[in-house]
Amino acid sequence: MREKNRGLALFTFLIFLFLLGPLLIISVTSFEPGTVLKFPPQGFSLRWYENIFEVEMFMETFKTSMIVSLAGNLLALALGIPAAYALSRFQFKGKSLLNGVFISPVLIPGIVMGFAMLKYVIITYQLPIYAGLLVGHTVLMLPFIIRVIASSLSNFDFAIEEASLSLGAGRLETFFKVVLPNIRSGIIAAVLIAFLESFNNVDISVFMTGPGVSTLPIQMLTYVENYFDPTIAAISVLLMIITAIFMFIIERLMGLSYFTKR
């Protein structure tokens, strides 16, 4: 029995090493003082973290990524909250089909989705680059918004809503004053998850960007093609820290059990 437990512990350790090892290597190499990415590093320096803020293209693409992610998040919320409410609150014909349509952007490979949007949305309607990015990222974030908010609504007692309606409140007033405050943590978690998915996206963004307009992940790929210094490792560490902070907030708001119930 002890040998089995030791074997399981060793197997678990190897799995974690396989998953976290590359992240640890990237984190360590970001402090390399030299001009070439090396592991193990030959010293300790923060020069490449400073270089992030000195390279103009990183700052410009960071602003673009922020604008697209935030604006797309607002649009996805405007569409996703009513959709999640309708799917959770009512029973109607075609509900399963509609739910599948909303979730489909997650199931379809990103490269296929990006190419399809480029061909049938961007080229067909001659959308500007920023508009195309906004549409693409809104579609990308919508399934996460709907999924998380629907999970939150599954724990909401709709009898409270009925009580509010019976006391004379209108349906819209009840929705904004009773339903939304009770799923506030779910909405915040949905926003954070969707933001991370949008901000770090590559496969769809690569089809939506164009001359003079790019997102931070795409610019990072372009930078790697021309330079081999630890700047990208430094950016990666910062993005990992931001992601870890967001996931900690999501866990505190909802807990991982919310994402395994439905």
Side-chain angles (χ1 to χ4, degrees):
M1 190 68 179
R2 290 182 178 179
E3 291 181 357
K4 291 183 178 179
N5 291 336
R6 290 176 181 175
L8 181 60
L10 178 61
F11 180 75
T12 303
F13 172 77
L14 292 175
I15 292 295
F16 274 99
L17 183 64
F18 176 77
L19 295 175
L20 300 179
L23 303 183
L24 179 62
I25 292 174
I26 290 174
S27 300
V28 172
T29 54
S30 68
F31 299 105
E32 165 64 40
T35 58
V36 178
L37 196 64
K38 295 179 182 178
F39 182 82
Q42 304 302 308
F44 180 87
S45 174
L46 296 175
R47 61 177 292 194
W48 301 112
Y49 287 90
E50 297 174 359
N51 190 51
I52 296 172
F53 302 97
E54 294 174 357
V55 178
E56 184 178 354
M57 56 185 176
F58 285 143
M59 302 311 298
E60 290 298 322
T61 53
F62 173 78
K63 293 177 183 177
T64 301
S65 292
M66 287 294 294
I67 292 171
V68 171
S69 297
L70 292 175
N73 222 320
L74 290 176
L75 287 176
L77 275 177
L79 298 172
I81 291 178
Y85 176 79
L87 292 171
S88 301
R89 182 71 174 88
F90 305 110
Q91 295 293 331
F92 52 89
K93 188 177 181 180
K95 177 180 176 180
S96 298
L97 177 62
L98 187 60
N99 186 56
V101 170
F102 283 135
I103 302 300
S104 61
V106 177
L107 305 178
I108 300 174
I111 293 178
V112 176
M113 177 67 68
F115 179 76
M117 295 195 68
L118 173 65
K119 183 175 178 61
Y120 297 106
V121 178
I122 307 301
I123 296 178
T124 301
Y125 297 100
Q126 296 296 308
L127 293 180
I129 295 176
Y130 275 106
L133 273 172
L134 186 59
V135 171
H137 281 248
T138 300
V139 172
L140 174 69
M141 287 186 276
L142 191 58
F144 297 94
I145 296 288
I146 293 176
R147 174 75 173 176
V148 177
I149 294 179
S151 296
S152 185
L153 283 167
S154 68
N155 293 281
F156 175 71
D157 187 1
F158 286 102
I160 301 174
E161 181 186 34
E162 297 293 342
S164 176
L165 293 172
S166 67
L167 292 173
R171 186 164 291 277
L172 279 178
E173 183 182 5
T174 298
F175 181 76
F176 284 103
K177 292 186 177 181
V178 177
V179 178
L180 287 186
N182 279 279
I183 61 170
R184 179 173 53 204
S185 61
I187 294 174
I188 296 173
V191 167
L192 295 178
I193 292 173
F195 177 84
L196 287 176
E197 182 66 23
S198 171
F199 191 87
N200 295 321
N201 180 264
V202 173
D203 42 15
I204 291 180
S205 298
V206 74
F207 289 95
M208 302 298 174
T209 53
V213 179
S214 184
T215 60
L216 181 59
I218 302 301
Q219 188 58 57
M220 290 171 66
L221 290 176
T222 304
Y223 189 87
V224 170
E225 293 176 358
N226 300 285
Y227 304 94
F228 197 64
D229 60 51
T231 301
I232 297 301
I235 297 178
S236 300
V237 171
L238 294 181
L239 292 179
M240 283 191 288
I241 293 173
I242 294 173
T243 301
I245 292 172
F246 275 32
M247 296 309 296
F248 174 78
I249 295 173
I250 293 168
E251 169 62 23
R252 296 293 295 177
L253 287 172
M254 300 185 68
L256 294 178
S257 60
Y258 264 71
F259 306 102
T260 59
K261 290 180 179 179
R262 293 175 64 85

Coordinates of all heavy atoms in Angstrom, one line a residue, residues 168-202:
G168 N -45.4 44.0 -6.5 CA -45.6 45.1 -7.4 C -44.5 45.7 -8.2 O -44.6 46.6 -8.9
A169 N -43.3 45.1 -8.0 CA -42.1 45.6 -8.7 C -42.2 45.1 -10.2 O -42.7 44.0 -10.4 CB -40.8 45.1 -8.1
G170 N -41.8 45.9 -11.1 CA -41.8 45.5 -12.5 C -40.7 44.5 -12.8 O -39.8 44.3 -12.0
R171 N -40.8 43.8 -13.9 CA -39.8 42.7 -14.2 C -38.4 43.3 -14.4 O -37.4 42.7 -13.9 CB -40.2 42.0 -15.5 CG -39.3 40.8 -15.8 CD -40.0 39.9 -16.8 NE -41.1 39.2 -16.3 CZ -41.0 38.1 -15.5 NH1 -39.8 37.6 -15.2 NH2 -42.1 37.5 -15.1
L172 N -38.3 44.5 -15.1 CA -36.9 45.1 -15.2 C -36.4 45.6 -13.9 O -35.2 45.4 -13.6 CB -37.0 46.3 -16.2 CG -37.0 45.9 -17.7 CD1 -37.1 47.2 -18.6 CD2 -35.7 45.2 -18.1
E173 N -37.3 46.2 -13.1 CA -36.8 46.7 -11.8 C -36.4 45.5 -10.9 O -35.4 45.6 -10.2 CB -38.0 47.4 -11.1 CG -37.6 48.0 -9.7 CD -38.8 48.7 -9.1 OE1 -39.9 48.6 -9.6 OE2 -38.5 49.3 -8.0
T174 N -37.1 44.4 -11.0 CA -36.7 43.2 -10.2 C -35.4 42.6 -10.7 O -34.6 42.2 -9.9 CB -37.8 42.1 -10.4 OG1 -39.0 42.6 -9.8 CG2 -37.4 40.8 -9.7
F175 N -35.2 42.7 -12.0 CA -34.0 42.1 -12.6 C -32.8 42.9 -12.1 O -31.7 42.3 -11.7 CB -34.0 42.1 -14.1 CG -32.8 41.6 -14.8 CD1 -32.6 40.2 -14.8 CD2 -31.9 42.4 -15.3 CE1 -31.5 39.7 -15.4 CE2 -30.7 41.9 -16.0 CZ -30.5 40.6 -16.0
F176 N -32.9 44.2 -12.1 CA -31.7 45.1 -11.8 C -31.5 45.2 -10.2 O -30.4 45.4 -9.8 CB -31.9 46.5 -12.4 CG -31.6 46.5 -13.9 CD1 -32.6 46.6 -14.8 CD2 -30.3 46.4 -14.3 CE1 -32.3 46.6 -16.2 CE2 -30.0 46.5 -15.7 CZ -31.0 46.5 -16.6
K177 N -32.6 45.1 -9.5 CA -32.5 45.4 -8.0 C -32.5 44.1 -7.2 O -32.1 44.1 -6.0 CB -33.7 46.2 -7.6 CG -33.6 47.7 -8.1 CD -34.7 48.5 -7.4 CE -34.6 50.0 -7.9 NZ -35.6 50.9 -7.3
V178 N -32.9 43.0 -7.8 CA -33.0 41.7 -7.1 C -32.0 40.7 -7.7 O -31.2 40.1 -6.9 CB -34.4 41.2 -7.0 CG1 -34.4 39.8 -6.3 CG2 -35.3 42.1 -6.3
V179 N -32.2 40.4 -9.0 CA -31.4 39.3 -9.6 C -29.9 39.7 -9.7 O -29.0 39.0 -9.2 CB -31.9 39.0 -11.0 CG1 -31.1 37.9 -11.6 CG2 -33.4 38.5 -10.9
L180 N -29.6 40.9 -10.3 CA -28.2 41.2 -10.5 C -27.4 41.3 -9.3 O -26.3 40.8 -9.2 CB -28.1 42.5 -11.3 CG -28.5 42.4 -12.8 CD1 -28.2 43.7 -13.5 CD2 -27.7 41.3 -13.5
P181 N -27.9 42.0 -8.2 CA -27.1 42.0 -7.0 C -26.8 40.7 -6.4 O -25.7 40.5 -5.7 CB -28.0 42.9 -6.0 CG -28.8 43.7 -6.9 CD -29.1 42.8 -8.1
N182 N -27.7 39.7 -6.6 CA -27.4 38.4 -6.0 C -26.4 37.5 -6.8 O -25.9 36.5 -6.3 CB -28.8 37.6 -5.9 CG -29.6 38.0 -4.7 OD1 -29.3 37.5 -3.6 ND2 -30.5 38.9 -4.9
I183 N -26.2 37.9 -8.1 CA -25.2 37.2 -8.9 C -24.0 38.1 -9.2 O -23.3 37.8 -10.1 CB -25.8 36.7 -10.2 CG1 -26.3 37.8 -11.0 CG2 -26.9 35.7 -9.9 CD1 -26.7 37.4 -12.4
R184 N -23.8 39.1 -8.4 CA -22.7 40.1 -8.6 C -21.3 39.4 -8.6 O -20.5 39.7 -9.5 CB -22.7 41.1 -7.5 CG -21.6 42.2 -7.6 CD -21.9 43.3 -6.6 NE -22.0 42.7 -5.3 CZ -22.7 43.3 -4.3 NH1 -23.3 44.5 -4.5 NH2 -22.8 42.7 -3.1
S185 N -21.1 38.5 -7.7 CA -19.8 37.8 -7.7 C -19.6 37.0 -9.0 O -18.5 36.9 -9.5 CB -19.7 36.9 -6.5 OG -20.7 35.9 -6.5
G186 N -20.6 36.4 -9.5 CA -20.5 35.6 -10.7 C -20.2 36.5 -11.9 O -19.5 36.1 -12.8
I187 N -20.8 37.7 -11.9 CA -20.6 38.6 -13.0 C -19.1 39.1 -13.0 O -18.5 39.2 -14.0 CB -21.5 39.8 -12.9 CG1 -23.0 39.4 -13.2 CG2 -21.1 40.9 -13.9 CD1 -24.0 40.5 -13.0
I188 N -18.6 39.4 -11.8 CA -17.2 39.9 -11.7 C -16.3 38.8 -12.1 O -15.3 39.0 -12.9 CB -16.9 40.3 -10.2 CG1 -17.8 41.5 -9.8 CG2 -15.4 40.6 -10.1 CD1 -17.6 41.9 -8.4
A189 N -16.6 37.5 -11.7 CA -15.7 36.4 -12.1 C -15.8 36.2 -13.6 O -14.7 35.9 -14.2 CB -16.2 35.1 -11.4
A190 N -17.0 36.3 -14.2 CA -17.1 36.2 -15.7 C -16.3 37.2 -16.4 O -15.6 36.9 -17.4 CB -18.6 36.3 -16.1
V191 N -16.3 38.5 -15.9 CA -15.6 39.6 -16.5 C -14.1 39.3 -16.5 O -13.4 39.5 -17.4 CB -15.9 40.9 -15.8 CG1 -14.9 42.0 -16.2 CG2 -17.3 41.3 -16.1
L192 N -13.6 38.8 -15.3 CA -12.2 38.5 -15.2 C -11.7 37.4 -16.1 O -10.7 37.5 -16.7 CB -11.8 38.2 -13.7 CG -12.1 39.3 -12.7 CD1 -11.7 38.9 -11.3 CD2 -11.2 40.6 -13.0
I193 N -12.5 36.3 -16.1 CA -12.1 35.2 -17.0 C -12.1 35.6 -18.4 O -11.2 35.2 -19.2 CB -13.1 34.0 -16.7 CG1 -12.9 33.4 -15.3 CG2 -12.9 32.9 -17.7 CD1 -13.9 32.4 -14.9
A194 N -13.2 36.3 -18.8 CA -13.3 36.7 -20.2 C -12.2 37.7 -20.6 O -11.6 37.6 -21.7 CB -14.7 37.3 -20.5
F195 N -11.8 38.5 -19.7 CA -10.7 39.5 -19.9 C -9.4 38.8 -20.2 O -8.7 39.1 -21.1 CB -10.6 40.5 -18.8 CG -9.5 41.4 -18.9 CD1 -9.6 42.6 -19.7 CD2 -8.2 41.2 -18.4 CE1 -8.6 43.5 -19.8 CE2 -7.2 42.1 -18.5 CZ -7.3 43.2 -19.2
L196 N -9.1 37.8 -19.3 CA -7.9 37.0 -19.5 C -7.9 36.3 -20.8 O -6.8 36.3 -21.5 CB -7.7 36.0 -18.3 CG -7.4 36.6 -16.9 CD1 -7.4 35.5 -15.9 CD2 -6.0 37.3 -17.0
E197 N -9.0 35.7 -21.2 CA -9.0 34.9 -22.4 C -8.8 35.9 -23.6 O -8.1 35.5 -24.6 CB -10.4 34.2 -22.5 CG -10.6 33.4 -23.8 CD -9.6 32.2 -23.8 OE1 -9.2 31.7 -22.7 OE2 -9.4 31.7 -24.9
S198 N -9.4 37.1 -23.5 CA -9.2 38.0 -24.6 C -7.8 38.6 -24.7 O -7.2 38.7 -25.8 CB -10.3 39.1 -24.5 OG -10.0 40.2 -25.4
F199 N -7.3 39.0 -23.5 CA -6.0 39.7 -23.5 C -4.9 38.8 -24.0 O -4.0 39.3 -24.6 CB -5.8 40.2 -22.1 CG -4.6 41.1 -22.0 CD1 -4.8 42.5 -22.2 CD2 -3.3 40.6 -21.7 CE1 -3.7 43.4 -22.1 CE2 -2.2 41.5 -21.6 CZ -2.4 42.9 -21.8
N200 N -5.0 37.5 -23.6 CA -3.9 36.6 -24.0 C -4.1 35.9 -25.3 O -3.3 35.0 -25.7 CB -3.8 35.5 -22.9 CG -3.3 36.1 -21.6 OD1 -2.5 37.0 -21.5 ND2 -3.9 35.6 -20.5
N201 N -5.2 36.2 -26.0 CA -5.5 35.5 -27.2 C -4.6 35.8 -28.4 O -4.1 36.9 -28.6 CB -6.9 35.8 -27.7 CG -7.3 35.1 -28.9 OD1 -7.2 35.6 -30.1 ND2 -7.8 33.9 -28.8
V202 N -4.2 34.7 -29.1 CA -3.3 34.8 -30.3 C -4.0 34.4 -31.5 O -4.0 35.1 -32.6 CB -2.0 34.0 -30.0 CG1 -1.2 34.0 -31.3 CG2 -1.2 34.6 -28.9

